[in-house]
Amino acid sequence: MPDAGQPQAYDFAEAEARWQRVWDERGCFRVADLPGDGKPKYYVLEMFPYPSGKIHMGHVRNYTLGDVVARYKRARGFSVLHPMGWDAFGLPAENAARERGVHPAEWTYANIAAMRGELRRMGLSLDWEREFATCDPAYYGQQQLLFLALLSAGLAYRKESFVNWDPVDGTVLANEQVIDGRGWRSGAPVEKRRLAQWFLRITDFAPELLAALDSLDRWPERVRTMQAKWIGRSEGARLSFPLARPEGSIGAIEVYTTRPDTLFGMSFAALAPEHPLAAAVALRDPEAARFIAECRRLGTSEAAIETAEKRGYDTGLRVQHPFLGDEEPVWIANFVLMEYGTGAIFGCPAHDQRDLEFARKYGLPVPPVVLPPGERAETFTIGDAAWLGPGTMIHSDFLDGLEWEAAKRRVIEELEARGLGQGEVNWRLRDWGVSRQRYWGCPIPVIHCAGCGVVPVAETELPVRLPDDAEFDRPGNPLDRHPSWKHVRCPRCGGKAERETDTLDTFVDSAWYFSRFCSPAAVRPVDRAAADHWLPVDQYIGGIEHAILHLLYARFFTRAMQKTGFLSVKEPFAGLFTQGMVTHESYRAADGRWLYPEEVERQADGSVVERQGGMAVSVGRIEAMSKSRRNTVDPGAIIARYGADTARWFILSDNPPDRDMEWTEAGVAAAHRFLHRLQRLAGSVADRPVEARPPAEVPDLFSEPARTLRRRTHQTIVAVTTALEEFAFNSAVARLYELAGAIAEAERRESDAGVAAARSEAMETLLRLAAPVIPHLAEELYARLHPGTSALVALLPWPEPDPALIAAETVTIAVQVGGRLRGTIRLPPGAPEPEVLAAAAAEHNVARALAGRRIVRHILVPDRIVNFVVAG
RNA sequence: GCGAGAGUGACGGAACCGGUAGACGUACGCGACUCAAAAUCGCGCGGCCGCGAGGCCAUGGGGGUUCGAGUCCCCCCUCUCGCACCA
């Protein structure tokens, strides 16, 4: 144990619990819905956790980051809202019910109780009085009210779309439950099945969701880029290809393309397997039907469809080229998506990589029509790579000689003039399907009546509660087969009717919880005044994996709530920070078993063996902690062994928070050692009381070591403040290590009264700067420095730097000759140019490098660098 | 497959706006303390050459711009995240 030999080491378990109690009793972190304290507001929020039962290191990282921000902003004089709750609906609870016979509610609330305890032991400065879980009827009832508001605003509607269907279990599968095209439990090949489902009209907001990204200047650039690409505005053309012979009632294929300029390079047309024309062909062509059935087995995941081998089926149909009248074959292709554009494309293999691979596979022609700069039309051919860049049009009739961009405009004009098509803006974003055929989610509050159609449940009847007595003994939706729950009277005609048995996607739950936190007890979804006060969230923190879906849905839902009169803001998150994953080495025994880190031991020679039995263990790669690889470290065990402050310090100290971090035993031990060092330092400072505060206005009265320490103290305030503002927490930690080293060094050099005063100032400053990271130890040591005080570091203002103490007495200037470093000189800051040049040229190694050479010119960056450019 | 990022000593990383690459921490080595070990404290620590002064090489690889490139531009490699029903 690292704390062996530390007899009077403080008992962190006792002390951490004690300070947590003090903060709690004094209500340090509670705020009112409408504070009225005149302070500026600051809303810090970390993505709320799914209650799996135990916190993991990702949570520790996420909530430590948020807590540092919350404590720092409080010290800067803000009234800080920092709430916590539970994203409590979802699949795992239902799986637990099926596997272990525990009711999802019982399982979920037990998990919440366990995780709440773990989070409390982390010492987070949360307002726990705002806690709720999305599975509380009080929460999901309000969500049902929001759904009804969207419904009456025309933002919710029903349409048919595809789900993954397990034909053996008779159940709908999530994408993650489809493994290699088969159901995870039954092993049966999945099928796409068409189902009527609820959708939210996110596409109505596509233009503004895209445009407003520019205003989110405190979001990571890459998240904004990803969202912009996801929304995917494209300009192109919609055009119609007449069929040479109509197929039943279908006489033409509608196609959307972003490359109308390549129309003369067409060598085929391709349909999505779900396209109506494909279905029509399948009716008379068993081969086509078989091909379509095979495509259905790919499931609904776009990644699965796009990574699958590109395959097609030639329907034998022909379409006419709109300008040339040539006939081109119509294929059904597994990579054409029904959800994007019109579900049909024209293939131009020379200028689209996917089309090229398809054409090569099936021996279709590849005529180039865009000539890259520097190529000659007579010799240019396409090899393995399609040409996607700019160029001049060739082999393209009336487009010949035009640049590609001009050709796009020209061909659209021509299509419009001849009534064959038109220019069109298209969006990649699709409407948000929110229906889930599952029990553990928010019931959709509508009733289906044979006579009246879809009838909303009256607001006074909300919440529509989940029945407690559902059965989980077989697959499928327990709500749908519940004996009585869905059978109701139609609110409109009083006749027999059925409740909607689908529940809402859990992304809906997390699309507005941050608004609910402003007034968690309100009888409406939000109290308008409280929401107006606190929103938007000033700093939102969570994993990069949510960069697109959750964040985009929350942005949309906030706009939808604004439009339906619940909120004033349109953008929910003014600032966003995305953290990296927590990783660890993985260990595998000779027989292939994965081993937990606590099951292995590192030998003196660096090899790793199993604790039980001493068998050799192979050390695998460092990767994201996961249960299947068993490379997890339990935060609960770490906190019990080292304390919350150690865990918090280490998780911030090692690397920048937006990158992946590796959890190592050595790193935790080092963090723990440093906290012991702080105690020894504080003890030695406390043992030597200071008569008076150091008079800042007369720094000359201090000895040089005292002046140096004071300068470093005040430089540290500036550096740590800047680092915290920039989320460079690892750099803040490095500056605190340095200040601790400087305190120890000052005493070694000189122990006069000035140094004692400077040390006292430095130590207290260090504690207050470190307090957001290690709040318990900061309180403990602050109390030791100020015996009898009732002040809490948690409530103290942030230290103020004194600019007069910061200025350096000398600067080091690098001297280069011909761009290579040859020496350094030390001068007072702001020395005049001739003096700097003279000193630089006189430096012995510089003088040697200059000998026999002519100085052509020099470059001088004040107080930083001199570069003599030489000839010869 | 498509979209978005990342890559710096043995390891995690630092480096404001293009201006001394390697702060701080870990590991390692040496020393002090100790009967001894641990803990603690001090010193050293990118590679190669050199007795030394010092020199050369070096920020995933290759090219370029510049007085000067980890930082800017082009090409390539590897890893990570997302792909709409995991949360």
Side-chain angles (χ1 to χ4, degrees):
Chain A
M1 291 293 285
D3 51 346
Q6 291 296 312
Q8 79 284 33
Y10 102 128
D11 178 355
F12 56 78
E14 177 278 323
E16 289 184 352
R18 173 159 43 81
W19 289 113
Q20 286 164 18
R21 212 159 43 236
V22 171
W23 296 327
D24 208 30
E25 284 164 7
R26 292 178 57 174
C28 295
F29 313 129
R30 285 206 293 273
V31 284
D33 289 0
L34 284 169
D37 54 9
K39 290 183 182 179
K41 69 94 184 178
Y42 200 90
Y43 185 175
V44 190
L45 184 68
E46 302 94 61
M47 291 180 184
F48 66 164
Y50 180 79
S52 58
K54 281 191 149 201
I55 62 172
H56 54 68
M57 280 301 169
H59 292 129
V60 173
R61 197 177 196 198
N62 195 181
Y63 300 135
T64 301
L65 290 170
D67 200 45
V68 169
V69 174
R71 288 177 181 270
Y72 168 70
K73 288 294 177 180
R74 235 174 253 120
R76 295 307 298 253
F78 290 88
S79 156
V80 172
L81 174 61
H82 188 209
M84 181 56 71
W86 310 95
D87 188 13
F89 275 136
L91 277 179
E94 252 175 285
N95 292 336
R98 226 152 252 149
E99 284 157 16
R100 275 171 267 167
V102 201
H103 191 276
E106 190 188 323
W107 184 85
T108 302
Y109 283 106
N111 284 348
I112 287 173
M115 285 178 73
R116 184 191 300 117
E118 292 193 299
L119 289 184
R120 280 185 171 272
R121 280 189 287 282
M122 281 183 64
L124 305 170
S125 64
L126 292 163
D127 181 357
W128 281 103
E129 295 191 0
R130 293 175 180 273
E131 176 189 359
F132 60 77
T134 55
C135 63
D136 296 341
Y139 182 80
Y140 72 70
Q142 299 297 340
Q143 185 164 305
Q144 290 169 342
L145 193 129
L146 291 174
F147 180 87
L148 294 179
L150 298 198
L151 185 60
S152 58
L155 292 173
Y157 68 99
R158 271 164 82 74
K159 75 169 180 188
E160 292 209 321
S161 77
F162 293 94
V163 293
N164 297 307
W165 179 254
D166 184 324
V168 171
D169 275 358
T171 188
V172 176
L173 298 176
N175 280 339
E176 74 155 6
Q177 297 174 320
V178 179
I179 294 151
D180 296 331
R182 291 170 181 275
W184 66 335
R185 289 194 203 287
S186 70
V190 300
E191 294 169 10
K192 282 187 188 179
R193 176 177 272 213
R194 199 184 282 273
L195 222 57
Q197 310 202 68
W198 287 98
F199 283 80
L200 301 184
R201 283 193 206 280
I202 190 172
T203 53
D204 275 11
F205 294 80
E208 52 177 295
L209 286 170
L210 180 65
L213 286 172
D214 288 339
S215 70
L216 299 175
D217 55 346
R218 289 202 298 116
W219 279 43
E221 190 61 46
R222 67 164 157 159
V223 174
R224 290 191 281 165
T225 308
M226 280 192 266
Q227 289 215 351
K229 298 268 182 181
W230 184 263
I231 295 167
R233 182 181 193 277
S234 64
E235 288 178 8
R238 175 190 284 264
L239 63 156
S240 180
F241 289 90
L243 284 168
R245 270 195 311 277
E247 177 75 26
S249 60
I250 303 173
I253 303 173
E254 283 276 298
V255 159
Y256 175 79
T257 177
T258 57
R259 291 297 302 274
D261 52 314
T262 64
L263 190 51
F264 290 93
M266 170 179 184
S267 64
F268 64 95
L271 307 170
E274 298 82 23
H275 194 279
L277 179 56
V281 171
L283 282 179
R284 56 162 173 78
D285 179 351
E287 276 296 316
R290 205 166 311 144
F291 180 75
I292 292 168
E294 256 174 67
C295 293
R296 265 208 287 275
R297 294 218 183 93
L298 278 174
T300 61
S301 154
E302 192 175 312
I305 292 166
E306 298 248 349
T307 46
E309 190 196 351
K310 284 165 198 31
R311 297 182 53 215
Y313 176 79
D314 186 352
T315 61
L317 298 176
R318 295 289 182 268
V319 286
Q320 286 168 350
H321 191 280
F323 295 117
L324 302 173
D326 299 0
E327 294 196 354
E328 303 288 352
V330 178
W331 289 64
I332 302 168
N334 65 354
F335 62 86
V336 179
L337 303 174
M338 193 61 213
E339 289 85 4
Y340 186 72
T342 59
I345 61 161
F346 78 78
C348 174
H351 305 292
D352 182 287
Q353 192 61 32
R354 226 165 22 178
D355 294 350
L356 180 64
E357 283 164 33
F358 190 80
R360 292 284 188 234
K361 178 166 178 142
Y362 291 105
L364 298 163
V366 185
V369 288
V370 180
L371 186 68
E375 291 280 354
R376 291 177 50 230
E378 303 77 51
T379 53
F380 179 62
T381 53
I382 297 289
D384 295 339
W387 174 250
L388 309 176
T392 312
M393 305 310 300
I394 51 171
H395 311 314
S396 290
D397 201 316
F398 60 89
L399 298 178
D400 280 350
L402 289 174
E403 286 305 302
W404 68 328
E405 292 292 355
K408 275 183 196 176
R409 292 191 294 273
R410 180 68 221 286
V411 77
I412 289 170
E413 281 167 23
E414 199 64 29
L415 286 168
E416 288 175 350
R418 301 196 195 178
L420 299 169
Q422 64 277 316
E424 191 174 282
V425 169
N426 195 40
W427 302 83
R428 210 185 77 95
L429 184 67
R430 307 199 293 259
D431 272 340
W432 177 12
V434 293
S435 286
R436 297 292 181 272
Q437 295 71 38
R438 293 187 230 295
Y439 169 82
W440 195 233
C442 171
I444 297 174
V446 299
I447 289 163
H448 297 279
C449 170
C452 310
V454 171
V455 183
V457 172
E459 285 189 18
T460 50
E461 298 294 313
L462 299 181
V464 174
R465 283 172 177 272
L466 290 167
D468 292 331
D469 56 348
E471 287 179 1
F472 300 93
D473 49 348
R474 57 205 155 95
N477 182 357
L479 287 181
D480 197 37
R481 58 164 187 263
H482 189 279
S484 58
W485 185 77
K486 70 176 173 185
H487 301 293
V488 290
R489 291 276 161 190
C490 171
R492 201 161 289 164
C493 70
K496 278 192 178 176
E498 288 192 358
R499 281 192 193 286
E500 171 67 64
T501 59
D502 285 354
T503 51
L504 288 172
D505 179 7
T506 56
F507 273 126
V508 180
D509 310 340
S510 56
W512 72 286
Y513 75 108
F514 44 87
S515 298
R516 182 73 183 166
F517 272 140
C518 301
S519 51
V523 294
R524 300 275 295 160
V526 295
D527 176 88
R528 186 63 177 268
D532 284 351
H533 176 73
W534 290 110
L535 292 178
V537 174
D538 295 280
Q539 187 63 60
Y540 195 38
I541 305 168
I544 185 67
E545 66 273 20
H546 295 291
I548 296 176
L549 291 181
H550 161 60
L551 290 167
L552 193 59
Y553 290 148
R555 293 182 63 218
F556 154 68
F557 210 80
T558 301
R559 284 182 143 73
M561 284 175 72
Q562 188 265 339
K563 199 171 174 185
T564 47
F566 290 94
L567 294 174
S568 306
V569 295
K570 287 185 168 182
E571 283 294 335
F573 312 122
L576 173 70
F577 187 86
T578 53
Q579 59 171 40
M581 294 179 303
V582 182
T583 64
H584 197 281
E585 281 181 336
S586 50
Y587 308 101
R588 206 159 197 187
D591 58 11
R593 283 172 300 129
W594 294 101
L595 300 170
Y596 286 106
E598 61 265 27
E599 292 177 317
V600 305
E601 212 164 16
R602 197 170 285 272
Q603 307 277 80
D605 64 358
S607 67
V608 175
V609 298
E610 203 169 340
R611 250 177 231 281
Q612 294 256 308
M615 297 289 288
V617 167
S618 62
V619 178
R621 34 183 265 152
I622 295 161
E623 55 192 321
M625 289 189 178
S626 79
K627 279 186 189 146
S628 60
R629 296 242 190 277
R630 299 199 163 184
N631 60 339
T632 56
V633 174
D634 174 22
I638 294 293
I639 290 170
R641 181 169 170 192
Y642 296 102
D645 283 339
T646 294
R648 293 169 59 120
W649 183 263
F650 173 57
I651 209 148
L652 296 186
S653 66
D654 236 31
N655 69 354
D658 56 342
R659 281 206 221 163
D660 290 352
M661 83 160 291
E662 190 194 352
W663 184 273
T664 61
E665 287 303 310
V668 189
H672 198 60
R673 273 204 303 275
F674 178 68
L675 299 195
H676 280 297
R677 185 174 187 212
L678 278 186
Q679 291 163 48
R680 287 192 302 275
L681 268 183
S684 85
V685 170
D687 288 345
R688 176 140 186 212
V690 180
E691 309 81 58
R693 302 275 307 158
E697 60 279 8
V698 278
D700 290 346
L701 296 181
F702 288 90
S703 59
E704 193 272 332
R707 284 205 312 277
T708 301
L709 180 56
R710 298 204 68 201
R711 181 166 64 244
R712 298 183 73 169
T713 299
H714 287 261
Q715 283 173 338
T716 303
I717 297 173
V718 174
V720 169
T721 304
T722 309
L724 292 187
E725 294 282 353
E726 292 172 352
F727 268 80
F729 297 153
N730 55 323
S731 294
V733 163
R735 301 289 85 79
L736 294 172
Y737 271 115
E738 282 172 347
L739 184 57
I743 293 172
E745 188 190 334
E747 184 78 13
R748 277 202 308 280
R749 289 181 61 194
E750 182 73 58
S751 66
D752 60 32
V755 168
R759 269 165 54 93
S760 169
E761 176 191 39
M763 191 67 220
E764 175 168 336
T765 304
L766 172 54
L767 291 178
R768 287 165 63 184
L769 295 177
V773 185
I774 46 170
H776 312 88
L777 185 63
E779 297 287 4
E780 185 77 12
L781 298 183
Y782 184 84
R784 202 175 293 173
L785 292 181
H786 300 276
T789 186
S790 64
L792 290 175
V793 180
L795 300 176
L796 286 178
W798 195 243
E800 287 290 339
D802 181 343
L805 291 170
I806 290 174
E809 293 172 12
T810 60
V811 292
T812 305
I813 297 171
V815 185
Q816 297 181 337
V817 177
R820 308 192 70 110
L821 181 73
R822 294 301 174 200
T824 59
I825 53 175
R826 290 183 63 83
L827 290 172
E833 180 163 343
E835 202 175 301
V836 176
L837 291 178
E843 203 275 339
H844 71 282
N845 202 44
V846 174
R848 197 164 62 172
L850 286 173
R853 291 177 166 179
R854 187 167 54 85
I855 298 174
V856 179
R857 64 178 171 126
H858 65 264
I859 282 128
L860 181 116
V861 181
D863 292 350
R864 301 207 70 137
I865 199 165
V866 176
N867 185 12
F868 294 110
V869 183
V870 292

